[in-house]
PDB file of all heavy atoms in Angstrom:
ATOM      1  N   VAL A   1      -5.533  11.373 -13.125  1.00 97.00           N
ATOM      2  CA  VAL A   1      -6.355  10.318 -12.546  1.00 97.00           C
ATOM      3  C   VAL A   1      -7.684  10.892 -12.062  1.00 97.00           C
ATOM      4  O   VAL A   1      -7.758  12.032 -11.603  1.00 97.00           O
ATOM      5  CB  VAL A   1      -5.601   9.615 -11.395  1.00 97.00           C
ATOM      6  CG1 VAL A   1      -5.364  10.579 -10.240  1.00 97.00           C
ATOM      7  CG2 VAL A   1      -6.351   8.385 -10.925  1.00 97.00           C
ATOM      8  N   MET A   2      -8.737  10.100 -12.192  1.00 98.00           N
ATOM      9  CA  MET A   2     -10.042  10.430 -11.650  1.00 98.00           C
ATOM     10  C   MET A   2     -10.488   9.269 -10.771  1.00 98.00           C
ATOM     11  O   MET A   2     -10.095   8.126 -11.007  1.00 98.00           O
ATOM     12  CB  MET A   2     -11.072  10.677 -12.753  1.00 98.00           C
ATOM     13  CG  MET A   2     -10.664  11.733 -13.762  1.00 98.00           C
ATOM     14  SD  MET A   2     -11.934  12.064 -15.026  1.00 98.00           S
ATOM     15  CE  MET A   2     -13.030  13.162 -14.109  1.00 98.00           C
ATOM     16  N   GLY A   3     -11.306   9.567  -9.781  1.00 98.00           N
ATOM     17  CA  GLY A   3     -11.726   8.499  -8.893  1.00 98.00           C
ATOM     18  C   GLY A   3     -13.000   8.810  -8.149  1.00 98.00           C
ATOM     19  O   GLY A   3     -13.548   9.913  -8.231  1.00 98.00           O
ATOM     20  N   TRP A   4     -13.467   7.792  -7.451  1.00 98.00           N
ATOM     21  CA  TRP A   4     -14.637   7.901  -6.596  1.00 98.00           C
ATOM     22  C   TRP A   4     -14.275   7.475  -5.183  1.00 98.00           C
ATOM     23  O   TRP A   4     -13.584   6.470  -4.986  1.00 98.00           O
ATOM     24  CB  TRP A   4     -15.775   7.017  -7.108  1.00 98.00           C
ATOM     25  CG  TRP A   4     -16.396   7.509  -8.371  1.00 98.00           C
ATOM     26  CD1 TRP A   4     -16.064   7.166  -9.638  1.00 98.00           C
ATOM     27  CD2 TRP A   4     -17.487   8.431  -8.479  1.00 98.00           C
ATOM     28  NE1 TRP A   4     -16.862   7.815 -10.544  1.00 98.00           N
ATOM     29  CE2 TRP A   4     -17.748   8.597  -9.863  1.00 98.00           C
ATOM     30  CE3 TRP A   4     -18.263   9.127  -7.553  1.00 98.00           C
ATOM     31  CZ2 TRP A   4     -18.758   9.441 -10.327  1.00 98.00           C
ATOM     32  CZ3 TRP A   4     -19.257   9.960  -8.019  1.00 98.00           C
ATOM     33  CH2 TRP A   4     -19.494  10.107  -9.389  1.00 98.00           C
ATOM     34  N   TYR A   5     -14.750   8.246  -4.223  1.00 98.00           N
ATOM     35  CA  TYR A   5     -14.609   7.952  -2.809  1.00 98.00           C
ATOM     36  C   TYR A   5     -15.994   7.926  -2.186  1.00 98.00           C
ATOM     37  O   TYR A   5     -16.957   8.438  -2.759  1.00 98.00           O
ATOM     38  CB  TYR A   5     -13.746   9.005  -2.109  1.00 98.00           C
ATOM     39  CG  TYR A   5     -12.298   9.031  -2.561  1.00 98.00           C
ATOM     40  CD1 TYR A   5     -11.942   9.534  -3.805  1.00 98.00           C
ATOM     41  CD2 TYR A   5     -11.283   8.566  -1.723  1.00 98.00           C
ATOM     42  CE1 TYR A   5     -10.626   9.563  -4.219  1.00 98.00           C
ATOM     43  CE2 TYR A   5      -9.963   8.594  -2.124  1.00 98.00           C
ATOM     44  CZ  TYR A   5      -9.637   9.095  -3.375  1.00 98.00           C
ATOM     45  OH  TYR A   5      -8.317   9.125  -3.773  1.00 98.00           O
ATOM     46  N   ARG A   6     -16.096   7.344  -1.014  1.00 98.00           N
ATOM     47  CA  ARG A   6     -17.377   7.355  -0.319  1.00 98.00           C
ATOM     48  C   ARG A   6     -17.159   7.469   1.172  1.00 98.00           C
ATOM     49  O   ARG A   6     -16.118   7.082   1.705  1.00 98.00           O
ATOM     50  CB  ARG A   6     -18.201   6.104  -0.643  1.00 98.00           C
ATOM     51  CG  ARG A   6     -17.631   4.803  -0.096  1.00 98.00           C
ATOM     52  CD  ARG A   6     -18.458   3.616  -0.566  1.00 98.00           C
ATOM     53  NE  ARG A   6     -17.971   2.359  -0.031  1.00 98.00           N
ATOM     54  CZ  ARG A   6     -18.443   1.160  -0.364  1.00 98.00           C
ATOM     55  NH1 ARG A   6     -19.439   1.068  -1.246  1.00 98.00           N
ATOM     56  NH2 ARG A   6     -17.941   0.062   0.178  1.00 98.00           N
ATOM     57  N   GLN A   7     -18.169   8.004   1.838  1.00 98.00           N
ATOM     58  CA  GLN A   7     -18.141   8.128   3.283  1.00 98.00           C
ATOM     59  C   GLN A   7     -19.507   7.741   3.835  1.00 98.00           C
ATOM     60  O   GLN A   7     -20.512   8.393   3.554  1.00 98.00           O
ATOM     61  CB  GLN A   7     -17.778   9.549   3.713  1.00 98.00           C
ATOM     62  CG  GLN A   7     -17.572   9.692   5.211  1.00 98.00           C
ATOM     63  CD  GLN A   7     -16.907  10.996   5.585  1.00 98.00           C
ATOM     64  OE1 GLN A   7     -16.931  11.953   4.813  1.00 98.00           O
ATOM     65  NE2 GLN A   7     -16.304  11.042   6.753  1.00 98.00           N
ATOM     66  N   ALA A   8     -19.523   6.671   4.605  1.00 97.00           N
ATOM     67  CA  ALA A   8     -20.739   6.193   5.229  1.00 97.00           C
ATOM     68  C   ALA A   8     -20.901   6.843   6.597  1.00 97.00           C
ATOM     69  O   ALA A   8     -19.920   7.312   7.189  1.00 97.00           O
ATOM     70  CB  ALA A   8     -20.699   4.676   5.368  1.00 97.00           C
ATOM     71  N   PRO A   9     -22.116   6.882   7.122  1.00 90.00           N
ATOM     72  CA  PRO A   9     -22.337   7.475   8.438  1.00 90.00           C
ATOM     73  C   PRO A   9     -21.462   6.834   9.506  1.00 90.00           C
ATOM     74  O   PRO A   9     -21.414   5.617   9.630  1.00 90.00           O
ATOM     75  CB  PRO A   9     -23.819   7.206   8.701  1.00 90.00           C
ATOM     76  CG  PRO A   9     -24.425   7.098   7.343  1.00 90.00           C
ATOM     77  CD  PRO A   9     -23.380   6.431   6.507  1.00 90.00           C
ATOM     78  N   GLY A  10     -20.745   7.663  10.247  1.00 93.00           N
ATOM     79  CA  GLY A  10     -19.900   7.177  11.319  1.00 93.00           C
ATOM     80  C   GLY A  10     -18.607   6.535  10.885  1.00 93.00           C
ATOM     81  O   GLY A  10     -17.894   5.977  11.724  1.00 93.00           O
ATOM     82  N   LYS A  11     -18.284   6.596   9.599  1.00 95.00           N
ATOM     83  CA  LYS A  11     -17.070   5.974   9.098  1.00 95.00           C
ATOM     84  C   LYS A  11     -16.191   6.989   8.380  1.00 95.00           C
ATOM     85  O   LYS A  11     -16.628   8.079   8.019  1.00 95.00           O
ATOM     86  CB  LYS A  11     -17.411   4.824   8.144  1.00 95.00           C
ATOM     87  CG  LYS A  11     -18.160   3.672   8.793  1.00 95.00           C
ATOM     88  CD  LYS A  11     -18.380   2.540   7.816  1.00 95.00           C
ATOM     89  CE  LYS A  11     -19.086   1.367   8.471  1.00 95.00           C
ATOM     90  NZ  LYS A  11     -19.309   0.257   7.512  1.00 95.00           N
ATOM     91  N   GLN A  12     -14.931   6.605   8.178  1.00 96.00           N
ATOM     92  CA  GLN A  12     -13.995   7.447   7.458  1.00 96.00           C
ATOM     93  C   GLN A  12     -14.231   7.358   5.952  1.00 96.00           C
ATOM     94  O   GLN A  12     -14.765   6.367   5.441  1.00 96.00           O
ATOM     95  CB  GLN A  12     -12.562   7.044   7.781  1.00 96.00           C
ATOM     96  CG  GLN A  12     -12.174   7.189   9.244  1.00 96.00           C
ATOM     97  CD  GLN A  12     -12.235   8.616   9.704  1.00 96.00           C
ATOM     98  OE1 GLN A  12     -13.028   8.966  10.574  1.00 96.00           O
ATOM     99  NE2 GLN A  12     -11.418   9.475   9.111  1.00 96.00           N
ATOM    100  N   ARG A  13     -13.814   8.403   5.243  1.00 97.00           N
ATOM    101  CA  ARG A  13     -13.876   8.376   3.793  1.00 97.00           C
ATOM    102  C   ARG A  13     -12.933   7.305   3.254  1.00 97.00           C
ATOM    103  O   ARG A  13     -11.808   7.160   3.738  1.00 97.00           O
ATOM    104  CB  ARG A  13     -13.497   9.745   3.235  1.00 97.00           C
ATOM    105  CG  ARG A  13     -13.597   9.848   1.723  1.00 97.00           C
ATOM    106  CD  ARG A  13     -13.195  11.229   1.241  1.00 97.00           C
ATOM    107  NE  ARG A  13     -11.813  11.532   1.578  1.00 97.00           N
ATOM    108  CZ  ARG A  13     -11.234  12.708   1.373  1.00 97.00           C
ATOM    109  NH1 ARG A  13     -11.923  13.703   0.843  1.00 97.00           N
ATOM    110  NH2 ARG A  13      -9.968  12.886   1.708  1.00 97.00           N
ATOM    111  N   GLU A  14     -13.376   6.567   2.248  1.00 97.00           N
ATOM    112  CA  GLU A  14     -12.567   5.512   1.681  1.00 97.00           C
ATOM    113  C   GLU A  14     -12.562   5.581   0.162  1.00 97.00           C
ATOM    114  O   GLU A  14     -13.522   6.032  -0.464  1.00 97.00           O
ATOM    115  CB  GLU A  14     -13.069   4.131   2.128  1.00 97.00           C
ATOM    116  CG  GLU A  14     -14.455   3.778   1.618  1.00 97.00           C
ATOM    117  CD  GLU A  14     -14.869   2.358   1.964  1.00 97.00           C
ATOM    118  OE1 GLU A  14     -14.004   1.558   2.371  1.00 97.00           O
ATOM    119  OE2 GLU A  14     -16.069   2.047   1.823  1.00 97.00           O
ATOM    120  N   LEU A  15     -11.469   5.120  -0.408  1.00 98.00           N
ATOM    121  CA  LEU A  15     -11.352   5.034  -1.855  1.00 98.00           C
ATOM    122  C   LEU A  15     -12.224   3.900  -2.373  1.00 98.00           C
ATOM    123  O   LEU A  15     -12.199   2.793  -1.836  1.00 98.00           O
ATOM    124  CB  LEU A  15      -9.896   4.795  -2.247  1.00 98.00           C
ATOM    125  CG  LEU A  15      -9.611   4.582  -3.735  1.00 98.00           C
ATOM    126  CD1 LEU A  15      -9.829   5.877  -4.503  1.00 98.00           C
ATOM    127  CD2 LEU A  15      -8.193   4.073  -3.940  1.00 98.00           C
ATOM    128  N   VAL A  16     -12.976   4.166  -3.424  1.00 98.00           N
ATOM    129  CA  VAL A  16     -13.810   3.157  -4.062  1.00 98.00           C
ATOM    130  C   VAL A  16     -13.154   2.646  -5.337  1.00 98.00           C
ATOM    131  O   VAL A  16     -12.989   1.440  -5.527  1.00 98.00           O
ATOM    132  CB  VAL A  16     -15.212   3.706  -4.370  1.00 98.00           C
ATOM    133  CG1 VAL A  16     -16.049   2.671  -5.123  1.00 98.00           C
ATOM    134  CG2 VAL A  16     -15.915   4.120  -3.084  1.00 98.00           C
ATOM    135  N   ALA A  17     -12.785   3.549  -6.228  1.00 98.00           N
ATOM    136  CA  ALA A  17     -12.190   3.174  -7.501  1.00 98.00           C
ATOM    137  C   ALA A  17     -11.469   4.369  -8.094  1.00 98.00           C
ATOM    138  O   ALA A  17     -11.843   5.516  -7.857  1.00 98.00           O
ATOM    139  CB  ALA A  17     -13.250   2.665  -8.482  1.00 98.00           C
ATOM    140  N   VAL A  18     -10.432   4.094  -8.882  1.00 98.00           N
ATOM    141  CA  VAL A  18      -9.717   5.136  -9.607  1.00 98.00           C
ATOM    142  C   VAL A  18      -9.484   4.677 -11.033  1.00 98.00           C
ATOM    143  O   VAL A  18      -9.447   3.479 -11.312  1.00 98.00           O
ATOM    144  CB  VAL A  18      -8.368   5.504  -8.952  1.00 98.00           C
ATOM    145  CG1 VAL A  18      -8.587   6.142  -7.590  1.00 98.00           C
ATOM    146  CG2 VAL A  18      -7.469   4.282  -8.836  1.00 98.00           C
ATOM    147  N   ILE A  19      -9.317   5.641 -11.928  1.00 98.00           N
ATOM    148  CA  ILE A  19      -9.061   5.343 -13.326  1.00 98.00           C
ATOM    149  C   ILE A  19      -8.093   6.379 -13.877  1.00 98.00           C
ATOM    150  O   ILE A  19      -8.231   7.574 -13.642  1.00 98.00           O
ATOM    151  CB  ILE A  19     -10.375   5.303 -14.134  1.00 98.00           C
ATOM    152  CG1 ILE A  19     -10.106   4.898 -15.586  1.00 98.00           C
ATOM    153  CG2 ILE A  19     -11.121   6.628 -14.052  1.00 98.00           C
ATOM    154  CD1 ILE A  19     -11.374   4.575 -16.362  1.00 98.00           C
ATOM    155  N   THR A  20      -7.095   5.918 -14.616  1.00 97.00           N
ATOM    156  CA  THR A  20      -6.133   6.810 -15.229  1.00 97.00           C
ATOM    157  C   THR A  20      -6.674   7.340 -16.549  1.00 97.00           C
ATOM    158  O   THR A  20      -7.690   6.878 -17.058  1.00 97.00           O
ATOM    159  CB  THR A  20      -4.799   6.099 -15.481  1.00 97.00           C
ATOM    160  OG1 THR A  20      -4.970   5.119 -16.511  1.00 97.00           O
ATOM    161  CG2 THR A  20      -4.285   5.431 -14.218  1.00 97.00           C
ATOM    162  N   GLY A  21      -5.963   8.310 -17.108  1.00 92.00           N
ATOM    163  CA  GLY A  21      -6.371   8.852 -18.388  1.00 92.00           C
ATOM    164  C   GLY A  21      -6.376   7.820 -19.494  1.00 92.00           C
ATOM    165  O   GLY A  21      -7.154   7.932 -20.443  1.00 92.00           O
ATOM    166  N   GLY A  22      -5.530   6.807 -19.374  1.00 91.00           N
ATOM    167  CA  GLY A  22      -5.468   5.740 -20.352  1.00 91.00           C
ATOM    168  C   GLY A  22      -6.430   4.598 -20.109  1.00 91.00           C
ATOM    169  O   GLY A  22      -6.459   3.649 -20.900  1.00 91.00           O
ATOM    170  N   GLY A  23      -7.203   4.667 -19.021  1.00 94.00           N
ATOM    171  CA  GLY A  23      -8.225   3.667 -18.766  1.00 94.00           C
ATOM    172  C   GLY A  23      -7.849   2.549 -17.813  1.00 94.00           C
ATOM    173  O   GLY A  23      -8.633   1.608 -17.640  1.00 94.00           O
ATOM    174  N   MET A  24      -6.692   2.616 -17.177  1.00 97.00           N
ATOM    175  CA  MET A  24      -6.331   1.609 -16.183  1.00 97.00           C
ATOM    176  C   MET A  24      -7.106   1.866 -14.898  1.00 97.00           C
ATOM    177  O   MET A  24      -7.203   2.997 -14.449  1.00 97.00           O
ATOM    178  CB  MET A  24      -4.835   1.634 -15.905  1.00 97.00           C
ATOM    179  CG  MET A  24      -3.976   1.242 -17.089  1.00 97.00           C
ATOM    180  SD  MET A  24      -2.211   1.223 -16.713  1.00 97.00           S
ATOM    181  CE  MET A  24      -2.150  -0.023 -15.433  1.00 97.00           C
ATOM    182  N   THR A  25      -7.637   0.807 -14.303  1.00 98.00           N
ATOM    183  CA  THR A  25      -8.524   0.941 -13.154  1.00 98.00           C
ATOM    184  C   THR A  25      -8.009   0.191 -11.937  1.00 98.00           C
ATOM    185  O   THR A  25      -7.295  -0.803 -12.047  1.00 98.00           O
ATOM    186  CB  THR A  25      -9.930   0.428 -13.484  1.00 98.00           C
ATOM    187  OG1 THR A  25      -9.857  -0.950 -13.865  1.00 98.00           O
ATOM    188  CG2 THR A  25     -10.531   1.223 -14.631  1.00 98.00           C
ATOM    189  N   THR A  26      -8.404   0.680 -10.770  1.00 98.00           N
ATOM    190  CA  THR A  26      -8.119   0.052  -9.496  1.00 98.00           C
ATOM    191  C   THR A  26      -9.364   0.157  -8.630  1.00 98.00           C
ATOM    192  O   THR A  26     -10.010   1.203  -8.603  1.00 98.00           O
ATOM    193  CB  THR A  26      -6.936   0.716  -8.783  1.00 98.00           C
ATOM    194  OG1 THR A  26      -5.777   0.655  -9.617  1.00 98.00           O
ATOM    195  CG2 THR A  26      -6.629   0.012  -7.464  1.00 98.00           C
ATOM    196  N   TYR A  27      -9.697  -0.922  -7.916  1.00 98.00           N
ATOM    197  CA  TYR A  27     -10.897  -0.966  -7.094  1.00 98.00           C
ATOM    198  C   TYR A  27     -10.571  -1.365  -5.671  1.00 98.00           C
ATOM    199  O   TYR A  27      -9.645  -2.146  -5.422  1.00 98.00           O
ATOM    200  CB  TYR A  27     -11.908  -1.973  -7.645  1.00 98.00           C
ATOM    201  CG  TYR A  27     -12.434  -1.643  -9.015  1.00 98.00           C
ATOM    202  CD1 TYR A  27     -11.814  -2.139 -10.159  1.00 98.00           C
ATOM    203  CD2 TYR A  27     -13.554  -0.834  -9.173  1.00 98.00           C
ATOM    204  CE1 TYR A  27     -12.288  -1.834 -11.419  1.00 98.00           C
ATOM    205  CE2 TYR A  27     -14.036  -0.526 -10.428  1.00 98.00           C
ATOM    206  CZ  TYR A  27     -13.399  -1.032 -11.551  1.00 98.00           C
ATOM    207  OH  TYR A  27     -13.886  -0.727 -12.800  1.00 98.00           O
ATOM    208  N   ALA A  28     -11.378  -0.859  -4.750  1.00 98.00           N
ATOM    209  CA  ALA A  28     -11.319  -1.355  -3.388  1.00 98.00           C
ATOM    210  C   ALA A  28     -11.804  -2.799  -3.359  1.00 98.00           C
ATOM    211  O   ALA A  28     -12.686  -3.186  -4.133  1.00 98.00           O
ATOM    212  CB  ALA A  28     -12.180  -0.490  -2.472  1.00 98.00           C
TER     213      ALA A  28
END
């Protein structure tokens, strides 16, 4: 799996999106 996370000033890191090797995706 590969994914993107983000962290805004003063906030915790959060999951943005993930994608499996086969192309299945999940989004915040």
